[in-house]
Amino acid sequence: MPQSSRWALVIHGGAGQITRAVLAAAQDQGARAGLHAALAAGAALLAAGGTALDAVEAAVRVLEDDSHFNAGRGSAFTHDGGIEMDAAIMDGRDRAAGAVAGITRTRHPVALARRVMDHSPHVLLSGAGADAFSVEQELEQADAGWFETVARRRQLDAMLARGGDGFDVDMKYGTVGAVACDIHGHVAAATSTGGVTGKRWGRIGDSPLIGAGTHADDRAGAVSATGAGEFFIRANVAHEIGARARMLGESMLEAGAAAIAEVGAMGGSGGVILVGADGTGGWRFNTPGMYRGMVSAGAPAVVAIFGDE
Ligand code: ASP
């Protein structure tokens, strides 16, 4: 198998109205530490010749356990005060994919998405069935108390007090995702989220939808999105970026900029992380901030939050 010394890992922890004026120092520092920990977990695998697929799962698992982000522990609350998580993973080698939506008990939703990909004939499982599959696969289960945090409960309470109806574009998001390119020249993507605060009626966002919030294809690159999911679904952002790269010859970053401009033109906001099969990576977003980080062979890890960093 041809190998190169080039590997790269790009991660995000959500995009939104994240400015110095609104971000508390503790959240800033905690989120940066979490991003560094996730980069370190994925980079250790990639530097040792591991696969992009394993690296994105490892990075996302770290962020799922970190309550600074809206995935796994620290997930956003539904309108009813519950937790319903979505996740997806995709392998650029053969475009194998797995995803789950509306799950409630799995400590690492991305691990369940991976099981759907590796151990079921399906791509997307939802709700009670997905929860049952998780138990069957003997993945680690957690009580509601593991996922729930005081800060997220406050966000729901504030939204309900305002009479909000499940979709507040000013709220700070916190979905997590990772894209990677390994030394074998393969790419992968993973995304995990608690969705949007106050969601109801079984609402599912873009994160677990292959082609909307998550996509990987060795012929172009890998994408994980974050933002107002309804727009990313309608614009089919993650697939669109790869398609532009393949068919128009744009770089992944150029294609990402075009897709985010499209989301903006539709009235949506958010961002994407990207990596090409050549190992070039980065991000594009149209929000004031996005929790993000990147590390690659021979380059130190970089973490940023605000748009001007
Ligand atoms: N895109 C996610 C969703 O709509 C939310 C986010 O990225 O913060 O569920």
Side-chain angles (χ1 to χ4, degrees), residues 118-133:
D118 290 343
H119 297 287
S120 91
H122 307 300
V123 169
L124 173 60
L125 301 183
S126 70
D131 282 340
F133 179 68

Side-chain angles (χ1 to χ4, degrees), residues 127-217:
D131 282 340
F133 179 68
S134 176
V135 173
E136 212 172 282
Q137 289 292 312
E138 299 182 357
L139 288 179
E140 185 175 349
Q141 307 293 298
D143 295 334
W146 165 256
F147 301 108
E148 297 174 4
T149 62
V150 173
R152 293 291 179 196
R153 168 71 70 177
R154 272 201 211 108
Q155 283 179 356
L156 175 66
D157 291 345
M159 171 174 285
L160 295 179
R162 287 197 304 273
D165 200 12
F167 211 144
D168 183 346
V169 290
D170 284 335
M171 66 174 279
K172 290 177 286 299
Y173 294 104
T175 290
V176 309
V179 295
C181 171
D182 61 34
I183 62 168
H184 315 291
H186 301 303
V187 298
T191 313
S192 183
T193 186
V196 290
T197 299
K199 66 183 182 180
R200 53 176 157 169
W201 308 306
R203 181 266 189 193
I204 296 167
D206 58 313
S207 309
L209 301 184
I210 299 304
T214 306
H215 201 259
D217 182 343

Side-chain angles (χ1 to χ4, degrees), residues 52-79:
L53 191 64
D54 285 340
V56 294
E57 181 181 350
V60 167
R61 286 173 72 110
V62 169
L63 296 171
E64 287 176 336
D65 274 351
D66 188 327
S67 63
H68 293 96
F69 304 100
N70 170 18
R73 185 166 169 76
S75 283
F77 280 80
T78 66
H79 195 270

Side-chain angles (χ1 to χ4, degrees), residues 22 52 80 86 97 115 126 146 148 157 159 187 210 215-216 228 252-253 256 262 264-265 280 282 294 303-304:
V22 301
D80 296 336
D86 305 332
R115 292 300 175 104
S126 70
W146 165 256
E148 297 174 4
D157 291 345
M159 171 174 285
V187 298
I210 299 304
H215 201 259
M252 288 296 280
L253 284 167
E262 193 69 27
T280 56
M294 178 157 59
V303 157

